[in-house]
């Protein structure tokens, strides 16, 4: 058996009339992905980026327009959904209101003709996995949203799929319950050891649960990396701006390794960039400080400007500074850590510092 659970080779998907009455829409364009067995893999991007279409092609609800889709090394092009070794959990739980928890979970096994003793055993096993075996006789109307989501998970797991597909399954839950379910789902995936492919537009959700993340935009995969790489080492302007908060500064390469930012120059790696080229420097708000870093492992970039606003947001403060260059940047500092001087108020002059090692160079 292949070590790769799911593989997409140059997969594209277009929608539209072949008669020319309507314009063709390229929902997914030339995607290449290889997802190993046992990985928690997330497709992350805004609405309309192609992530759900990609998931539906893996599930068999849509067929690729071009390319090949393999599951466990077997080409799935043209194979209907019910013959694929996958199960899908949707945002809408789609539970049968007239059936109790046990019958909802065991419905698929019943349709397949699984004998009652085995069916009951597998239903109980699946419900124990999601900690719902104590509510086996209740109807969906007697369950909370989180409990209904657990039943939907159990219904998918009872078929013992090689790959579990999850299409924004926590979208209908409140924030606190959603965070609890994120941790539970990750622990469950580790216990089961099966491949999870998760679709979400929530960056924090993706960073919390995933082994690897594919950032998608306009039908394409822009970057695939682990959560640390996605957050700290973005490779595109879209990815840098979509994942968390990011400051962008315009710069120009003067000569090899020397960039101009306003009236200052800094040394940064410039491999593959031609002298005179305009680039964008990306730096996270938490990478900035109002005082030089002690024992900094890299040179510091100093930016001068005026403090415009300070907002208390619990664990930290968010500061807005207008630089002398005219650009606006944001700074986030934990309340238990570094503080700006007490006398610094809105409208006061200030200086910001950032280690050059925390700056990413991005081009169009």
């Amino acid at each position: 058996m292949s070590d790769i659970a799911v593989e997409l080779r140059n997969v594209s998907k277009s929608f539209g009339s072949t008669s020319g009455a309507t314009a063709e829409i390229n929902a997914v364009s030339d995607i290449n992905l290889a997802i190993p067995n046992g990985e928690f893999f997330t497709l992350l991007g805004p609405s309309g980026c192609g992530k759900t279409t990609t998931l539906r092609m893996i599930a068999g609800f849509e067929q690729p327009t071009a390319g090949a889709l393999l599951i466990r090394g077997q080409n799935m092009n043209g194979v209907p959904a019910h013959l694929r070794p996958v199960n899908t959990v949707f945002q809408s739980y789609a539970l049968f209101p007239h059936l109790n928890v046990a019958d909802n979970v065991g419905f698929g096994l019943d349709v397949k003709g699984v004998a009652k003793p085995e069916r009951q055993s597998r239903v109980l096993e699946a419900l124990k996995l999601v900690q719902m075996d104590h509510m086996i006789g209740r109807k969906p109307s007697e369950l909370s949203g989180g409990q209904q989501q657990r039943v939907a998970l159990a219904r998918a797991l009872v078929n013992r799929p090689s790959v579990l597909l999850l299409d924004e399954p926590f979208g209908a839950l409140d924030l606190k319950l959603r965070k609890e379910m994120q941790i539970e789902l990750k622990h469950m995936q580790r216990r089961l050891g099966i491949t999870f492919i998760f679709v979400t537009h929530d960056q924090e959700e993706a960073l919390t649960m995933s082994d690897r993340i594919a950032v998608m935009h306009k039908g394409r995969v822009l970057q695939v990396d682990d959560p640390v790489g996605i957050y700290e080492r973005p490779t595109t302007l879209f990815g840098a701006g979509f994942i968390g908060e990011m400051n962008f500064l315009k710069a120009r390469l003067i000569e090899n390794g020397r960039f101009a930012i306003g009236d200052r120059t800094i040394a940064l790696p410039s491999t593959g960039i031609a002298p005179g080229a305009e680039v964008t420097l990306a730096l996270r708000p938490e990478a900035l400080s109002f005082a030089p870093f002690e024992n900094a492992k890299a040179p510091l970039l100093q930016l001068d400007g005026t403090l415009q606003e300070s907002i208390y947001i619990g664990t930290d403060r968010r500061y807005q500074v207008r630089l002398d260059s005219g650009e606006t940047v944001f700074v986030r500092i934990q309340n238990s850590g570094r503080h700006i001087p007490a006398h610094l108020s809105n409208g006061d002059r200030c200086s910001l510092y950032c280690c050059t090692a925390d700056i990413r160079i991005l081009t169009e």
Side-chain angles (χ1 to χ4, degrees):
M1 184 184 297
S2 173
D3 291 334
I4 302 300
V6 176
E7 185 175 4
L8 282 73
R9 299 176 181 172
N10 303 109
V11 168
S12 297
K13 178 63 179 180
S14 299
F15 296 97
S17 173
T18 56
S19 66
T22 58
E24 190 173 69
I25 299 172
N26 296 317
V28 173
S29 301
D30 199 29
I31 284 183
N32 287 280
L33 289 174
I35 304 170
N37 287 315
E39 185 171 62
F40 197 121
F41 190 88
T42 296
L43 300 170
L44 172 66
S47 297
C49 72
K51 58 187 186 295
T52 294
T53 299
T54 301
L55 195 80
R56 288 177 60 83
M57 285 192 288
I58 297 171
F61 302 133
E62 301 286 353
Q63 294 294 329
T65 305
L69 194 154
L70 291 80
I71 299 177
R72 296 192 301 185
Q74 300 296 312
N75 193 320
M76 291 287 119
N77 287 27
V79 177
H82 70 278
L83 294 180
R84 299 190 182 196
V86 304
N87 269 92
T88 307
V89 179
F90 300 99
Q91 180 175 333
S92 57
Y93 315 125
L95 300 177
F96 296 111
H98 62 288
L99 298 181
N100 63 25
V101 166
D103 290 338
N104 263 287
V105 173
F107 181 81
L109 298 178
D110 190 23
V111 171
K112 292 178 180 178
V114 176
K116 187 174 182 179
E118 182 184 351
R119 186 168 73 244
Q120 290 176 333
S121 174
R122 286 172 61 174
V123 166
L124 184 59
E125 176 187 40
L127 287 171
K128 283 181 177 178
L129 279 173
V130 299
Q131 301 175 11
M132 284 294 292
D133 52 304
H134 62 294
M135 294 189 173
I136 198 165
R138 294 197 182 183
K139 296 287 183 66
S141 60
E142 301 175 285
L143 305 176
S144 67
Q147 290 168 338
Q148 290 184 47
Q149 186 57 269
R150 287 188 178 92
V151 174
L153 279 169
R155 184 177 55 189
L157 293 169
V158 77
N159 292 303
R160 298 172 180 169
S162 298
V163 180
L164 185 64
L165 309 176
L166 303 107
D167 189 6
E168 305 207 42
F170 305 144
L173 305 181
D174 63 65
L175 180 61
K176 183 178 179 182
L177 182 55
R178 189 160 68 242
K179 289 181 177 295
E180 291 174 357
M181 288 295 293
Q182 289 168 12
I183 302 301
E184 281 191 28
L185 187 66
K186 180 59 181 175
H187 289 169
M188 187 188 307
Q189 189 266 339
R190 285 175 177 164
R191 289 197 307 270
L192 293 170
I194 65 176
T195 307
F196 278 29
I197 302 179
F198 192 91
V199 160
T200 184
H201 64 273
D202 188 316
Q203 304 98 316
E204 183 179 334
E205 192 166 75
L207 294 171
T208 298
M209 296 190 295
S210 311
D211 295 318
R212 286 192 306 151
I213 300 168
V215 178
M216 296 188 65
H217 183 50
K218 294 183 178 180
R220 297 186 178 275
V221 171
L222 301 184
Q223 182 178 0
V224 179
D225 207 336
D226 62 24
V228 174
I230 292 293
Y231 186 82
E232 296 185 3
R233 299 183 296 276
T235 57
T236 65
L237 283 168
F238 173 81
F242 183 71
I243 311 296
E245 188 174 27
M246 184 71 84
N247 294 307
F248 295 108
L249 300 175
K250 294 297 181 183
R252 179 174 54 85
L253 179 61
I254 304 172
E255 57 185 9
N256 187 32
R258 301 293 300 180
F259 288 85
I261 308 177
D263 60 354
R264 296 183 182 275
T265 63
I266 60 168
L268 293 170
S270 58
T271 304
I273 304 174
E278 300 287 338
V279 300
T280 299
L281 304 185
L283 52 155
R284 296 287 181 189
E286 62 269 24
L288 289 163
S289 173
F290 286 93
F293 295 88
E294 297 179 5
N295 304 317
K297 296 180 181 179
L300 296 179
L301 167 65
Q302 178 180 332
L303 301 167
D304 299 320
T306 303
L307 180 65
Q308 290 188 309
E309 192 172 34
S310 169
I311 302 174
Y312 176 80
I313 51 176
T315 57
D316 53 358
R317 281 183 179 270
R318 183 175 185 268
Y319 303 95
Q320 180 177 320
V321 176
R322 184 172 179 82
L323 302 179
D324 292 346
S325 63
E327 296 170 296
T328 297
V329 297
F330 297 93
V331 186
R332 292 190 70 148
I333 298 177
Q334 287 190 346
N335 288 319
S336 60
R338 310 181 310 279
H339 292 273
I340 62 170
H343 65 271
L344 193 58
S345 303
N346 293 350
D348 287 353
R349 297 284 299 166
C350 61
S351 294
L352 301 175
Y353 301 87
C354 175
C355 289
T356 56
D358 293 326
I359 298 174
R360 298 291 295 174
I361 303 175
L362 301 174
T363 62
E364 293 296 341

